């Protein structure tokens, strides 16, 4: 029994069903309020700020997840639909409790990253959802720019290369922030990646040994 199984047996009944629906609806509400009441500047009360948090504005540890992407109405609709689709697909695959754990670990990582760098957004958290989706459904296709069909795994690889470049070229603050923000992905999928790497390595070694034996038998 894995650590997740043990947690689910003890705390599973407390899981929040349709968590991604709640998050997406929160984003949509914040976007609508900013659109209708721009002078209220609602986002200024929600964004992550270590200094303000240390002064008692604890709600900022949670409310930053409801800040929508800063973009046009059309792109907001597409982004929120994509977040909802990815989140609900993972929840169907894992169950509500495991999805809750994954999302909360992502929040924790984003908070750690925020205290390291001085600011945090939900972009890394949403990226970790995308990476998880690509790991679970690698061959599913999306229409890039609503036209070009492309498999999820290729988009994930492209994003991973960009963040690897940032990791290599950035300072230790950037590196620590990237690692902390993707901690949920590492926890959930790291062991599988390591096991797959070991299996591939063993397969190559066995294949090389077989090829060497074959050559030796021929020469003998």
């Amino acid at each position: 029994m894995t650590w997740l199984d043990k947690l689910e047996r003890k705390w599973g009944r407390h899981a929040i069903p349709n968590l991604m629906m709640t998050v997406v609806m929160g984003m949509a509400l914040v976007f609508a309020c900013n659109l209708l009441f721009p002078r209220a500047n609602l986002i200024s009360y929600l964004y992550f700020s270590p200094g303000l948090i240390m002064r008692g504005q604890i709600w900022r540890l949670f409310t930053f997840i409801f800040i929508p992407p800063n973009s046009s109405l059309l792109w907001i609709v597409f982004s929120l639909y994509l977040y909802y689709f990815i989140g609900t697909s993972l929840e169907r695959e894992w169950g509500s409790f495991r999805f809750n754990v994954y999302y909360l670990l992502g929040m924790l990582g984003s908070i750690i990253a925020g205290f390291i760098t001085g600011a945090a957004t939900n972009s890394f958290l949403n990226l970790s959802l995308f990476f998880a989706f690509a790991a679970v459904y690698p061959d599913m296709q999306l229409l890039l720019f609503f036209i070009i069909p492309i498999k999820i795994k290729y988009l994930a690889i492209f994003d991973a290369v960009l963040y690897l470049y940032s990791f290599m070229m950035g300072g230790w603050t950037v590196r620590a922030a990237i690692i902390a923000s993707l901690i949920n992905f590492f926890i959930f999928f790291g062991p599988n990646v390591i096991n797959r790497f070991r299996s591939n390595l063993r397969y190559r070694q066995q294949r090389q040994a077989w090829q060497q034996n074959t050559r030796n038998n021929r020469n003998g």
Side-chain angles (χ1 to χ4, degrees):
M1 181 179 294
T2 67
W3 62 275
L4 270 173
D5 293 325
K6 294 177 181 178
L7 283 178
E8 188 167 9
R9 287 187 62 183
K10 186 173 183 179
W11 303 102
R13 64 183 181 277
H14 301 296
I16 303 172
N18 299 316
L19 175 61
M20 207 61 205
M21 171 64 82
T22 302
V23 174
V24 167
M25 292 299 293
M27 286 184 177
L29 180 61
V30 171
F31 179 80
C33 287
N34 272 349
L35 191 64
L36 297 174
F37 311 105
R39 292 186 179 179
N41 197 13
L42 178 59
I43 289 179
S44 66
Y45 299 98
L46 304 179
Y47 72 87
F48 187 97
S49 170
L52 294 176
I53 290 170
M54 297 301 292
R55 280 181 240 158
Q57 298 185 18
I58 304 298
W59 66 83
R60 294 179 185 270
L61 289 169
F62 309 97
T63 55
F64 75 96
I65 68 172
F66 298 113
I67 297 177
N70 185 17
S71 189
S72 65
L73 177 60
L74 179 62
W75 187 252
I76 284 291
V77 171
F78 173 75
S79 298
L80 296 189
Y81 170 75
L82 186 62
Y83 296 156
Y84 172 77
F85 177 73
I86 288 174
T88 54
S89 296
L90 289 174
E91 185 170 351
R92 281 196 304 269
E93 180 70 22
W94 291 341
S96 295
F97 178 78
R98 295 189 180 216
F99 179 71
N100 279 204
V101 171
Y102 187 85
Y103 195 88
L104 291 176
L105 285 174
M107 282 184 62
L108 177 61
S110 296
I111 290 168
I112 293 172
F115 279 106
I116 291 172
T117 63
T121 68
N122 54 21
S123 58
F124 279 115
L125 175 57
N126 295 329
L127 178 66
S128 73
L129 291 176
F130 180 71
F131 281 158
F133 184 78
V136 175
Y137 304 104
D139 295 318
M140 183 175 289
Q141 288 189 343
L142 286 181
L143 292 178
L144 187 63
F145 305 120
F146 305 102
I147 299 173
I148 306 170
I150 186 170
K151 289 185 178 181
I152 291 291
K153 61 184 177 183
Y154 298 129
L155 290 175
I157 291 171
F158 177 76
D159 282 338
V161 169
L162 291 179
Y163 281 96
L164 180 61
Y165 177 81
S166 298
F167 184 86
M168 298 295 292
M169 301 303 294
W172 285 108
T173 300
V174 174
R175 294 171 184 172
I178 290 175
I179 292 172
S181 297
L182 298 176
I183 191 172
N184 54 349
F185 183 82
F186 297 142
I187 290 174
F188 267 62
F189 294 97
N192 290 336
V193 172
I194 293 173
N195 290 335
R196 186 176 301 175
F197 175 79
R198 288 176 177 173
S199 297
N200 290 337
L201 182 61
R202 283 196 298 267
Y203 172 76
R204 289 197 206 97
Q205 291 173 342
Q206 292 170 357
R207 184 175 179 82
Q208 289 172 355
W210 177 80
Q211 290 173 342
Q212 184 64 41
N213 290 333
T214 301
R215 285 193 295 267
N216 291 339
N217 291 334
R218 288 176 180 174
N219 294 334

